[in-house]
Amino acid sequence: MQILTCPAQLQRLEGILKKSLPLALPVFGAVLNINRGNPGQYEVLVDKWPEFGAVLARPSGEVASGDTGHCRGGMTRCPGRCQVCSGRPWVLPGAGERRLLEHTGSGGRAWSWTSSSTTPTGGSLSPSHVDLLNDTWPYGGNARSRRYLAEILGRFPQVCLQDGSGQPVAWVLTDHFGTGTHSYTLPEQRRRGHMQVALTVAAQRAQARGFPTFG
């Protein structure tokens, strides 16, 4: 396999993979992240260039081993069947379900939405919330998953809704592949539309950065 390090090659690869969606989803998001600063420190390998038949995305300098408690490698074979191990693409609710009202304030971009119930506010998760994330993630509950969640929390976009005291009530995390890896609403806050709002905001932000959304 050949590691692609040339920016021009990586940009060309992004364009090729974009034309092959959704087949190329397992690695497309990783390539997008690499071409936008590479916050996850990933690398892309191809079996040959430019007429490649397989693309692999993995942590730089190592073969993905799953030592973080979650699959970290993604591979696409073109053409043919692909192996998806990066999560799921964003699902954007239908236009009739979107109730977002966005505005820009003096402190930066903020957002809110209409609701028939008590509405949390938009906020951000912080490193102090990593134990909450680890306890509520289906793959969590151990030291490896905690390290993984701390890593993506510090490197990738996330959306969080907070109650009046500033505590998270619902959130969406993204990962190295530009996919939603941990979405959760506290049990006592469910059936109020919070996750729909969080997913919609996350999907819109992903689209603004060039990441695909599917509905």
Side-chain angles (χ1 to χ4, degrees):
M1 299 288 282
Q2 173 186 347
I3 300 175
L4 295 185
T5 58
C6 173
Q9 291 178 334
L10 289 167
Q11 288 292 339
R12 182 178 177 184
L13 177 62
E14 178 180 324
I16 294 172
L17 293 176
K18 186 175 182 178
K19 295 177 181 179
S20 300
L21 294 174
L23 178 67
L25 272 175
V27 295
F28 182 58
V31 174
L32 289 176
N33 272 325
I34 290 171
N35 287 340
R36 289 156 179 74
N38 200 10
Q41 299 301 303
Y42 260 47
E43 63 188 11
V44 174
L45 300 85
V46 293
D47 56 343
K48 57 183 178 179
W49 183 262
E51 300 298 328
F52 60 89
V55 185
L56 172 69
R58 71 181 187 188
S60 297
E62 66 181 73
V63 176
S65 61
D67 61 354
T68 59
H70 185 58
C71 184
R72 302 179 68 194
M75 184 173 185
T76 288
R77 297 189 180 278
C78 307
R81 299 170 62 186
C82 61
Q83 300 170 344
V84 180
C85 40
S86 62
R88 59 183 177 84
W90 291 117
V91 178
L92 189 61
E97 297 175 338
R98 299 174 199 168
R99 297 176 293 176
L100 290 177
L101 302 174
E102 297 195 351
H103 61 89
T104 302
S106 59
R109 192 175 187 219
W111 49 274
S112 60
W113 61 95
T114 62
S115 175
S116 59
S117 60
T118 303
T119 303
T121 59
S124 298
L125 293 166
S126 70
S128 64
H129 296 130
V130 67
D131 288 323
L132 173 64
L133 300 178
N134 196 30
D135 290 341
T136 53
W137 194 38
Y139 306 100
N142 57 72
R144 292 179 299 175
S145 61
R146 188 182 190 279
R147 288 195 300 270
Y148 171 76
L149 291 167
E151 177 184 353
I152 64 172
L153 181 61
R155 295 185 177 186
F156 299 101
Q158 42 93 356
V159 171
C160 175
L161 309 185
Q162 299 175 338
D163 62 18
S165 64
Q167 296 302 308
V169 299
W171 58 84
V172 176
L173 301 182
T174 58
D175 63 9
H176 306 76
F177 296 89
T179 60
T181 190
H182 182 16
S183 303
Y184 190 83
T185 302
L186 296 181
E188 62 272 19
Q189 294 286 342
R190 292 174 183 171
R191 304 184 67 83
R192 300 180 184 179
H194 299 336
M195 183 52 61
Q196 175 185 312
V197 171
L199 287 172
T200 302
V201 173
Q204 290 179 335
R205 291 180 177 178
Q207 283 186 317
R209 297 174 60 235
F211 286 74
T213 59
F214 292 84

